[in-house]
Amino acid sequence: MTVYLPIAELSVNIFVILGMGAAVGFLSGMFGVGGGFLITPLLIFYNIPPVVAVATGANQVVASSISGAITHFRRGTLDMKLGSVLLMGGLAGATLGVWIFSWLRRLGQLDLIISLLYVVFLGTIGSLMLAESLRAMRRAARNEKLPLKRPGQHNWVHRLPLKMRFKKSKIYLSAIPVVALGFGIGILTSVMGVGGGFIMVPAMIYLLRIPTNVVVGTSLFQIIFVTAYTTMVQAATNYSVDIVLATILMVAGVIGAQYGVRVGQKLRGEQLRALLGLLVLAVGLRLAVDLVLTPADIYSISVGGFGSP
Amino acid sequence: MTRFLSAALTLFAALAFAAPAPAQLLTGETPTIREGLEIGTSTSEIAITSDFRGADLTIFGALTNADELFLAIGQYDVVVTLEGPRDFATVRRKERVFGIWMNTRSMTFEQVPESYSIASTRHLDDIQRASALNSIPVGIDHLTLSPTGFVGNASLLADFREAYRRLKLTNGLYQRDTTGVRFVSPSLFRATVRLPANVPDGIHMVHAYLFKSGEMIMQKDLPLRVVKTGLEQAITDAAHEKPIAYGLFCVLIAVLTGWGASVIFRKE
């Protein structure tokens, strides 16, 4: 059964899109990630124009993050103040990101930059995750304990000015790195169509030393608003959010996620991370191969005049 | 003797005048006969529905005042085209830079039809010379592709034009059918042009060209509206005319879906 996507302007098989959404939803539920970094490359592999894939990916992340955020809000594992500071940076970053996005599109380099960013980020994060989980597995096999890290330890981040007190996180921290982190993630949200949790969570834990229990909820809080904002701005400037595509993905995604959560609870943490690391690496590798392999056709057409380089 | 001479003269005269008569006919200078061309389409509007997978458009046509002799020896040719809305088109070329393929050169063509479907009685090259087809212009290989701005050298322009035509043919937006026009009676013909699944919406134009011994003598045009229907049209309109409201609606759907799922699955 085919369904016509009015913004992407092509007919697709509805079951392929449903399957994609459900599979990514399942994985995002299993690993506790938003899934934007998987859905966007998958859509590109399925010949959805990257412009539409990125903007629609951001919209899909709103849906997949919201139920998680509700849970964290109820449990009280969400630092509103920290989230709001992150969000300020995030909104500014997303605005700049959409501007960069439109500029790259005019230059004809958007597809390349999206792929390159994915290769770099997925490659780095995938390798780190895999290496870390393998170390953890080896430790577990030898019955060793984690080397103790005191949360009070200070690094260069903690010597910055403009300190603020975040009561819920029980932390006294400069606003500069928080805003900067949100800003960077905001750019990635609009250029790559991701929530950015896979970068934000490790950065909050290891760089900002924010207690682990509030990290996920707070990052989800920031992600929801930044992705929602990005959806709006993309819709207003590039007209590239496909509501039909997004709705199919979201519905399949949130259902898939519920089953993913159940399976995830039965697997062990380090095995889960190793699996996710492998998956992330595989997607990154596939994109890298596409960049390096000689394309079937070195020419491409786009409608409209964008001027010569 | 005089009778013989006059008979010979008459015969000579007859021979002398008999020869140019068909020649005059072949150049088509007989002023009294003026051929006519009438066309009609099976529909004046094509709707892109959610399960649209392309469509065929049938064009019926009649040849009036056709010359019997020319008809008999197949000197009339009909070419029917369906031209999509015009827009600028940018062709880009990739090159390997540090091992990675990236777009390095681009060329923008002025106001070219986004889609172009052509049907003819026979191969265009057999009907008329390329230069004459270029000046109408008719045919995928003869469409005017004029670049905007500065173009490096002529061979580059030729490469980009060739690539443009090849890509359009590959993705189905440009199509040709050299047997797409069939005469169902000596003066009635039927043409079928294909609209691909990815056909752009807007006003398309049906052009019918009548060729007589290779000369284009008549042209008839008819508009065809290709519209997205119902929900598709509403969505496209909303996305372009009320983008903020559209974006808000997209976010709202996402919020409802996410929130709804968490409510439904919690009860289980």
Side-chain angles (χ1 to χ4, degrees):
Chain A
M1 199 178 108
T2 59
V3 59
Y4 182 79
L5 306 178
I7 304 298
E9 297 195 311
L10 48 89
S11 292
V12 291
N13 188 331
I14 191 170
F15 298 110
V16 172
I17 302 290
L18 276 174
M20 242 181 229
V24 172
F26 183 82
L27 292 170
S28 68
M30 196 157 111
F31 299 120
V33 291
F37 67 97
L38 290 175
I39 211 83
T40 310
L42 279 178
L43 289 176
I44 294 172
F45 295 154
Y46 192 52
N47 288 329
I48 307 285
V51 179
V52 177
V54 166
T56 309
N59 192 12
Q60 187 265 344
V61 174
V62 178
S64 67
S65 305
I66 213 144
S67 57
I70 291 172
T71 315
H72 282 281
F73 184 75
R74 280 209 196 91
R75 283 193 205 140
T77 48
L78 195 166
D79 188 331
M80 284 286 228
K81 190 174 173 190
L82 181 62
S84 305
V85 177
L86 267 175
L87 186 56
M88 272 159 45
L91 296 181
T95 310
L96 178 68
V98 171
W99 186 82
I100 295 174
F101 187 90
S102 310
W103 176 67
L104 286 171
R105 195 178 171 190
R106 273 199 308 279
L107 280 186
Q109 304 297 359
L110 180 66
D111 299 5
L112 173 76
I113 299 296
I114 291 174
S115 291
L116 271 179
L117 281 175
Y118 268 106
V119 169
V120 170
F121 278 103
L122 297 182
T124 314
I125 301 288
S127 315
L128 286 175
M129 229 179 245
L130 194 63
E132 189 273 333
S133 54
L134 287 180
R135 265 202 308 276
M137 276 189 221
R138 222 174 299 134
R139 263 200 309 269
R142 279 192 254 125
N143 271 326
E144 279 175 40
K145 276 190 180 167
L146 268 169
L148 220 64
K149 250 186 208 161
R150 254 173 257 113
Q153 267 178 333
H154 280 211
N155 54 18
W156 61 272
V157 167
H158 295 258
R159 285 195 295 273
L160 291 168
L162 279 172
K163 290 212 170 192
M164 288 174 85
R165 194 169 296 283
F166 299 102
K167 281 201 194 98
K168 199 126 202 176
S169 309
K170 299 188 184 77
I171 195 166
Y172 187 55
L173 183 64
S174 161
I176 294 170
V178 180
V179 171
L181 178 64
F183 187 77
I185 301 295
I187 294 178
L188 294 185
T189 300
S190 34
V191 179
M192 297 170 73
V194 296
F198 65 107
I199 296 165
M200 193 158 31
V201 170
M204 284 165 86
I205 295 174
Y206 298 112
L207 214 59
L208 304 183
R209 299 283 158 79
I210 293 163
T212 322
N213 62 328
V214 295
V215 161
V216 176
T218 308
S219 78
L220 280 174
F221 170 82
Q222 192 263 6
I223 286 169
I224 288 167
F225 286 99
V226 173
T227 49
Y229 173 74
T230 304
T231 306
M232 299 273 304
V233 180
Q234 288 281 23
T237 55
N238 290 307
Y239 312 112
S240 50
V241 181
D242 196 305
I243 198 167
V244 176
L245 180 61
T247 307
I248 301 171
L249 285 175
M250 287 187 290
V251 170
V254 292
I255 296 170
Q258 301 297 330
Y259 294 96
V261 169
R262 277 163 223 188
V263 174
Q265 283 160 350
K266 291 186 189 115
L267 285 172
R268 288 176 52 192
E270 53 263 32
Q271 289 171 342
L272 217 57
R273 286 202 300 279
L275 271 177
L276 181 61
L278 275 177
L279 184 78
V280 166
L281 270 183
V283 175
L285 206 65
R286 164 75 207 269
L287 280 166
V289 166
D290 283 350
L291 283 178
V292 177
L293 277 187
T294 307
D297 201 323
I298 59 168
Y299 290 94
S300 60
I301 300 185
S302 51
V303 175
F306 296 101
S308 303
Chain B
M1 182 65 193
T2 39
R3 276 189 70 181
F4 175 71
L5 198 66
S6 70
L9 272 174
T10 318
L11 190 67
F12 180 72
L15 276 173
F17 285 110
Q24 189 188 24
L25 202 68
L26 270 175
T27 48
E29 282 169 11
T30 27
T32 47
I33 300 174
R34 183 91 176 104
E35 288 88 346
L37 178 67
E38 297 301 331
I39 58 166
T41 50
S42 50
T43 174
S44 62
E45 187 172 291
I46 295 223
I48 302 182
T49 50
S50 64
D51 56 351
F52 185 74
R53 303 177 99 171
D56 282 324
L57 177 74
T58 305
I59 297 114
F60 295 100
L63 218 58
T64 52
N65 284 336
D67 190 302
E68 295 294 331
L69 176 62
F70 279 80
L71 214 49
I73 56 173
Q75 285 293 300
Y76 287 111
D77 281 295
V78 175
V79 177
V80 176
T81 65
L82 176 67
E83 275 188 37
R86 284 171 181 264
D87 200 346
F88 288 82
T90 302
V91 179
R92 295 195 170 88
R93 188 169 71 187
K94 285 193 176 72
E95 249 171 78
R96 187 167 261 177
V97 180
F98 301 115
I100 288 167
W101 287 91
M102 64 183 286
N103 291 324
T104 50
R105 277 196 172 277
S106 75
M107 196 178 284
T108 301
F109 294 116
E110 268 174 28
Q111 300 296 332
V112 279
E114 278 182 64
S115 64
Y116 192 85
S117 193
I118 181 165
S120 50
T121 40
R122 54 190 171 133
H123 207 282
L124 276 186
D125 297 342
D126 299 334
I127 299 175
Q128 179 54 293
R129 303 186 312 279
S131 60
L133 293 171
N134 286 344
S135 65
I136 299 175
V138 64
I140 292 168
D141 297 335
H142 309 286
L143 281 176
T144 314
L145 293 177
S146 44
T148 59
F150 174 73
V151 181
N153 57 47
S155 77
L156 198 67
L157 178 59
D159 284 351
F160 272 83
R161 282 182 171 155
E162 194 273 331
Y164 175 81
R165 295 187 168 114
R166 181 168 41 79
L167 284 167
K168 284 289 201 180
L169 282 167
T170 313
N171 67 20
L173 282 169
Y174 281 21
Q175 302 199 5
R176 72 175 134 223
D177 183 356
T178 51
T179 56
V181 180
R182 288 186 186 280
F183 275 92
V184 287
S185 85
S187 61
L188 286 177
F189 65 86
R190 199 181 75 184
T192 308
V193 287
R194 178 109 192 112
L195 283 85
N198 48 353
V199 69
D201 60 329
I203 304 288
H204 291 232
M205 285 302 288
V206 177
H207 299 292
Y209 305 92
L210 177 64
F211 287 84
K212 182 182 183 186
S213 302
E215 293 301 317
M216 207 272 282
I217 56 168
M218 264 302 242
Q219 180 183 343
K220 274 284 157 79
D221 309 315
L222 270 182
L224 173 79
R225 276 157 43 86
V226 175
V227 291
K228 291 180 177 177
T229 54
L231 194 59
E232 282 76 24
Q233 182 59 42
I235 291 171
T236 314
D237 285 350
H240 285 91
E241 285 155 25
K242 299 188 186 77
I244 303 283
Y246 174 83
L248 259 178
F249 191 66
C250 290
V251 171
L252 187 71
I253 287 190
V255 170
L256 286 178
T257 314
W259 176 73
S262 75
V263 170
I264 294 167
F265 284 93
R266 200 156 37 115
K267 280 177 185 165
E268 278 182 17

